[in-house]
């Protein structure tokens, strides 16, 4: 902490310190003129600036300045491209500088536990590794421009229903491996200036006063040195919050808690040192922003609009392309159908909503192309049926070579503030797709949605392009992808299940309850579907290209390692086609340890990289794996642990499709100490050579007494305590206790 800040803190009165711990309005920190402490401004994000317009009369969400809307978080994750995400971050950082924003309130990296979460579009993935890596790239990009970020919502905020008060009840291993892991990666790899605590409770403790998570894990274990800020209105008890390490309360609460905090300090209930620590971290944030501010910065909205289109290109996920229906050829007569072509859906609702500079619709992109015709067919805003429009679209579909239906979720179907009721598209859209597919064999569906949908017509259409919510450049980017001037290279950052009921959280998600048990444990998303060998509509990591890629030689630079060492994995990727394109190489690790007592996922993503390959080009891709690729969180030792044994390192096309694999044997440098007790059994003791030397005479005695010829089979499950009970007094309880003490020494 710099000495300037320490000396300011010494000069602050108790009242001033307390007042600094909350904002001055919705978006600013407090100013204290006499000590030269300025106010700084924060703004939502994260897909574009939602800076409150200082000239607007009221503070409605849409009263923000004009800004550029980039693809939503789900799209950035679908790019599987940390370089592009970093560069989006850099652009946003420059925009923040030009608007004098100290920190952008994002990224949000909560796990997509259910396809129904209303904010899924604002989150990255069902997989914590992907979420953490994408978040780190985004944060590093923004912060490289001297602007802070706010990694949110910490943590386990996976639904909107009762979002301020529900309790996420999660066992420790699941918390560590799934719900904290992405935050851990992002904190360690990008050092966000701030972390935003979530609204909800975790295991009975409100996040805004959760010392274990806000201080013991975030700061003490992961080394976070920045400021924590409450989600807007997330504070419950400010005294407990300060003691827990929650620094800044946002927004301004009218000083509602100041008197309580002052009297808690005066009475000794709250140590003043706790308050000082919060104030120091707030001031550190404020001065870091001031010191890094570039008063000369300007931003060019037109340039960033064009850039937003090319970012969208990188995120398109081609889900189906039968008979090479795509790309559409320029001389083909094509019918565009659907209200979304005129009025695209390209961003989510709520605090991330950007007041766009301009919006490219698909019809705008198709302007001047005499081979493209348009029929609305259905409205983009709701599920209403207009029979005349519907029938006109079906009639027009009969006389063209191809039909592109622009379908998606109306704005009111998904947003911050509420969860989706089901996973389906509006019925009118499904009906029209079916009706058109019945009269034209070459139908392509373009989807505009923030989260998975069911596709009852999937076998009747030839093409599906998932654009998600790809920002204000949506139309131009979609058009480029449909016509092949851009080659799709996105991959699904989440599984599309066949039905909502297949999702592992289905039984426990939402409902009219406050306590949500995460009973599926570590089996979120693909971890569940692969374990249950369940068919899905599209697996995690899935996506096609206009190029065709094959894989060559895979190599690991060692066959065994200790968990403090690393292994280098290389694999050749070849573009067999004459179309230049990008491939996402995905690396998963699958434990292959017979008779393990540890429940593990079939495979987990542990590396990915996106590589550009010219026509017929070959490149070698390289990964380095360390302990984190093999470890699970062991609650016996409260630490990550690598079970000794074989692990398959797999190069996959997606979570369901392994292309190449190699096996490596990994052992922990420090094996876990096994604790024995009365319930320890024969077969576990026998594999531990030292333990076996100690207990063997006792089992031998019993074997001889009973005349057992095949002890490995008969006694496999026999406990130490049963020797006492069955030895007919030859072995006493005291002897057994001494034996256990010797074993544990
Ligand atoms: C949201 C945050 C957002 C904040 C400020 C809250 O309701 O959960 O994500 O940053 O408002 O708008």
């Amino acid at each position: 902490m710099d000495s300037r800040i320490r000396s300011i803190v010494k000069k602050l009165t108790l009242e001033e310190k307390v007042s600094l711990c909350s904002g001055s309005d919705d978006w600013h920190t407090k100013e204290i003129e006499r000590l030269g402490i300025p106010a700084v401004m924060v703004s939502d994000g994260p897909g574009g600036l939602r800076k409150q317009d200082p000239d607007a009369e009221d503070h409605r969400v849409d009263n923000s300045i004009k800004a550029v809307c980039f693809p939503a978080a789900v799209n950035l994750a679908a790019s599987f491209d940390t370089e592009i995400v970093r560069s989006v971050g850099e652009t946003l950082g420059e925009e923040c500088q030009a608007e004098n924003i100290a920190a952008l309130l994002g990224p949000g990296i909560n796990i997509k536990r259910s396809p129904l979460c209303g904010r899924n579009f604002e989150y990255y993935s069902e997989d914590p590794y992907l979420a953490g890596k994408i978040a780190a790239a985004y944060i590093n990009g923004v912060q490289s421009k001297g602007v802070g970020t706010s990694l949110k919502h910490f943590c386990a905020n996976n639904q909107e229903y009762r979002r301020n008060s529900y309790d996420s009840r999660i066992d420790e291993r699941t918390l560590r491996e799934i719900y904290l892991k992405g935050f851990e990666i992002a904190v360690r790899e990008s050092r966000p200036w701030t972390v935003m605590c979530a609204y909800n409770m975790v295991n009975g403790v409100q996040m805004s006063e959760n010392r274990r998570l806000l201080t013991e894990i975030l700061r003490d274990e992961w080394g976070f040195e920045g400021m924590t800020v409450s989600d807007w209105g997330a504070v419950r008890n400010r005294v407990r919050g300060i003691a827990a390490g929650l620094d800044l309360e946002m927004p301004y609460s009218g000083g509602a808690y100041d008197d309580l905090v002052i009297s808690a300090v005066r009475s000794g209930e709250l140590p003043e040192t706790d308050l000082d620590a919060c104030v120091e971290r707030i001031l550190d944030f404020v001065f870091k922003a001031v010191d890094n501010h570039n008063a000369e910065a300007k931003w060019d909205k037109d340039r960033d609009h064009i850039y937003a289109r090319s970012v969208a290109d990188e995120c398109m996920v081609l889900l189906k392309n039968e008979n090479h229906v795509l790309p559409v050829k320029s001389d083909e007569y094509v019918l565009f159908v659907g209200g979304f072509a005129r009025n695209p859906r390209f961003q989510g609702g709520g605090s991330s909503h950007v007041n766009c500079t301009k919006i490219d619709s698909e019809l705008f992109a198709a302007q001047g192309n005499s081979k493209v015709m348009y029929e609305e067919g259905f409205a983009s805003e709701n599920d209403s049926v207009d029979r005349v429009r519907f029938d006109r679209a079906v009639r027009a579909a009969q006389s063209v070579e191809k039909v592109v239906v622009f379908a998606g979720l109306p704005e009111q179907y998904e947003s911050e503030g509420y969860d989706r009721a089901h996973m389906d598209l509006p019925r009118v859209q499904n009906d029209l797709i079916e009706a058109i597919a019945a009269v034209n064999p070459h139908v392509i569906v373009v989807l505009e949605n923030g989260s998975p949908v069911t596709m009852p017509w999937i076998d009747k259409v030839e093409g599906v392009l998932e654009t998600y919510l790809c920002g204000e450049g949506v139309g131009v980017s979609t058009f480029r992808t449909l016509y092949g001037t851009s080659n799709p290279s996105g991959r699904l950052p989440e599984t599309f299940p066949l039905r909502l009921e297949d999702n592992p959280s289905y039984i426990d998600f939402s409902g009219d309850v406050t306590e949500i048990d995460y009973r599926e444990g570590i089996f979120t998303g693909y971890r569940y579907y692969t374990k249950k060998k369940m068919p899905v509509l599209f697996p995690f990591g899935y996506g096609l290209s206009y190029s065709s890629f094959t894989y060559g030689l895979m190599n690991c630079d060692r066959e065994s390692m200790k968990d403090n060492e690393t292994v280098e994995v290389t694999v050749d990727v070849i573009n067999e086609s004459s179309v230049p394109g990008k491939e996402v190489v995905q690396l998963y690790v699958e434990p292959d340890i017979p008779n393990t007592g540890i429940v593990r996922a079939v495979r987990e993503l542990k590396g990915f990289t996106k590589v550009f390959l010219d026509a017929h080009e070959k490149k070698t891709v390289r990964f380095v794996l360390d302990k984190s690729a093999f470890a699970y969180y062991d609650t016996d030792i409260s630490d990550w642990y690598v079970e000794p044994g074989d692990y398959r390192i797999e190069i996959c096309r997606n979570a369901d499709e392994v292309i190449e694999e190699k096996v490596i044997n990994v052992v922990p440098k420090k094996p876990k100490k096994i604790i024995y007790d009365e319930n320890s059994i024969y077969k576990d003791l026998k594999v531990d050579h030292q333990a076996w030397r100690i207990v063997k005479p006792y089992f031998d005695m019993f074997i001889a007494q009973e005349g057992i010829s095949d002890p490995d089979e008969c006694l496999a499950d026999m406990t130490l305590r049963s020797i006492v009970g069955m030895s007919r007094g030859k072995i006493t309880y005291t002897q057994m206790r001494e034996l256990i003490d010797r074993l544990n020494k």
Side-chain angles (χ1 to χ4, degrees), residues 636-707:
D636 288 345
I637 57 169
S638 300
D639 202 355
W640 297 90
Y641 184 68
V642 175
E643 193 183 9
D646 286 348
Y647 292 83
R648 293 175 200 277
I649 300 176
E650 301 169 335
I651 300 294
C652 297
R653 248 184 236 287
N654 55 65
D656 268 354
E657 203 186 329
V658 179
I659 308 167
E660 297 281 334
E661 63 173 63
K662 290 267 182 234
V663 174
I664 184 165
N665 187 273
V666 191
V667 291
K669 183 164 175 273
K670 216 169 115 211
K672 191 170 111 176
K673 188 164 162 28
I674 303 169
I675 308 288
Y676 291 104
D677 62 17
E678 288 95 328
N679 267 345
S680 299
I681 60 175
Y682 175 96
K683 74 172 171 206
D684 291 346
L685 289 155
K686 197 161 178 192
V687 293
D688 178 344
H689 301 304
Q690 281 185 22
W692 188 241
R693 264 209 309 275
I694 299 172
V695 295
K696 186 169 181 297
Y698 296 87
F699 278 107
D700 283 349
M701 196 189 305
F702 183 69
I703 291 163
Q705 171 193 296
E706 299 295 316

Side-chain angles (χ1 to χ4, degrees), residues 462-531:
E462 282 191 325
V464 179
L465 178 67
E466 176 57 82
T467 71
Y468 280 121
L469 302 177
C470 66
E472 64 181 56
V474 48
V476 168
S477 175
T478 305
F479 195 81
R480 291 203 285 235
T481 311
L482 288 173
Y483 280 79
T485 35
S486 171
N487 186 355
S489 61
R491 301 289 182 266
L492 291 180
E494 61 194 331
T495 312
F496 275 47
L498 282 167
R499 336 172 284 158
L500 177 63
E501 292 82 347
D502 292 348
N503 178 263
S505 74
Y506 178 72
I507 294 173
D508 286 312
F509 184 80
S510 212
D512 197 13
V513 282
T514 326
E515 287 160 357
I516 307 290
D517 289 307
Y518 286 42
R519 286 195 177 88
E520 70 281 9
I522 60 164
F523 293 100
T524 45
Y526 70 87
R527 286 166 169 76
Y528 178 77
Y529 302 113
T530 49
K531 192 79 175 178

Side-chain angles (χ1 to χ4, degrees), residues 26-27 42-46 50 61 104-106 108 119 122-123 150 152-153 157 160 163-164 196-199 230-233 250-251 350-352 416:
D26 284 351
W27 308 109
V42 296
S43 159
D44 279 310
R50 208 254 298 189
V61 169
L104 199 54
L105 301 175
R119 274 186 112 165
E122 233 183 302
Y123 299 145
S150 200
K152 66 189 186 185
H153 308 91
N157 187 195
E160 287 302 280
R163 71 169 177 162
N164 291 302
M196 188 188 291
C197 88
Y199 285 126
S230 72
D231 196 346
W232 269 228
M250 284 302 279
S351 61
S352 64
E416 174 178 343

